[in-house]
Amino acid sequence: MDARFLGIAQLVDTPSVAVVVDVMRAFTVAAWAFGQGAEKIVLAESLDEALALKGRHPDWVALKDGPPAPGFDTVNSPGLLRSLDFGGRTVVQKTTAGTVGALAVKEASLALCASFVVAGATARLLRTRKCADVTFVVTGEDGHADEDLACAQYIARRATGAGTDAAEFLRRAGESRAAAELAEGVRQGVHPDDVALCLELDRFPFAMVATLEDSLMVLRRCAVPSPTAEASI
């Protein structure tokens, strides 16, 4: 597999296959929302669009980065989401980097959103679909977020089918600037368990595929058959 690792601003052409990575915390949160029963996640372009969608669909769940705000139901924290029941509901998500990255590749033939909690399933999907050229979008810190790059590199290696030790990649993510800011309370809307939850490898057995549906970028979980024999991680 030919893998490229680019920041959002470096996306000059629309990639055929894109894996948009946001470990801390957009696509860890998205996976948890699916784990808590969400049917789909609409990735909003702005806070105003998120609120407008919520206004038109009062039963939808709207979440955002940072502290709680009027009109939003919760914040972008896996630690806070894990106690909520999203059974059958639609979630509207707007974050600083992750949703921006996904919208930047909305014309891709295959767009996946990923983090460590769905790394294995994401790699299996790339392998199952025989994706030869994959662009990994490192969303944080203008493409320099080491937690996102580490996760992207791990998925890329694992997609080859070879055994890959996750320890070094998880260590890098745990020592990243984002992890420090979450742990030290620099960011708002944070649960004390957020960093640990973001570093939980393969917590969920599904991948997350984003597609355009009626002009909206919609994220849905995608079941990936477990391999008959996958190399030990």
Side-chain angles (χ1 to χ4, degrees):
M1 186 181 74
D2 183 14
R4 298 188 303 161
F5 304 91
L6 303 176
I8 298 171
Q10 296 173 294
L11 292 168
V12 178
D13 301 316
T14 299
S16 176
V17 178
V19 179
V20 186
V21 182
D22 190 325
V23 173
M24 297 184 186
R25 293 163 288 170
F27 298 137
T28 299
V29 164
W32 269 97
F34 285 127
Q36 296 300 101
E39 178 185 352
K40 64 183 180 182
I41 298 173
V42 177
L43 305 177
E45 292 191 8
S46 66
L47 295 175
D48 286 343
E49 183 188 34
L51 289 173
L53 287 167
K54 172 71 175 180
R56 293 198 296 272
H57 306 278
D59 58 322
W60 287 11
V61 179
L63 65 88
K64 60 177 279 294
D65 277 338
F72 287 89
D73 300 286
T74 186
V75 295
N76 195 50
S77 162
L80 295 172
L81 257 69
R82 63 183 170 175
S83 63
L84 303 179
D85 180 7
F86 292 154
R89 301 179 73 183
T90 295
V91 173
V92 181
Q93 184 181 34
K94 170 66 180 86
T95 70
T96 306
T99 57
V100 176
L103 288 163
V105 296
K106 61 184 178 181
E107 302 296 337
S109 298
L110 175 63
L112 306 177
C113 295
S115 60
F116 280 111
V117 297
V118 293
T122 303
R124 289 198 303 274
L125 183 59
L126 293 172
R127 202 161 59 243
T128 299
R129 299 200 181 186
K130 296 179 171 58
C131 298
D133 298 294
V134 181
T135 297
F136 289 86
V137 183
V138 179
T139 60
E141 298 177 34
D142 297 322
H144 299 290
D146 200 37
E147 74 281 3
D148 294 339
L149 179 59
C151 183
Q153 291 171 335
Y154 175 71
I155 294 172
R157 291 193 189 184
R158 196 162 169 185
T160 67
T164 303
D165 187 352
E168 176 62 16
F169 299 96
L170 291 169
R171 182 196 64 77
R172 286 168 52 193
E175 294 178 358
S176 67
R177 175 181 172 183
E181 290 182 350
L182 290 173
E184 295 167 7
V186 174
R187 301 186 186 186
Q188 294 181 291
V190 177
H191 187 279
D193 294 339
D194 277 358
V195 172
L197 291 172
C198 289
L199 299 178
E200 191 175 6
L201 186 67
D202 296 342
R203 174 66 177 79
F204 300 103
F206 51 80
M208 300 187 294
V209 180
T211 55
L212 283 172
E213 300 182 17
D214 297 326
S215 78
L216 295 175
M217 193 66 162
V218 177
L219 191 61
R220 294 182 183 273
R221 62 182 150 189
C222 177
V224 184
S226 298
T228 55
E230 185 169 17
S232 173
I233 58 172

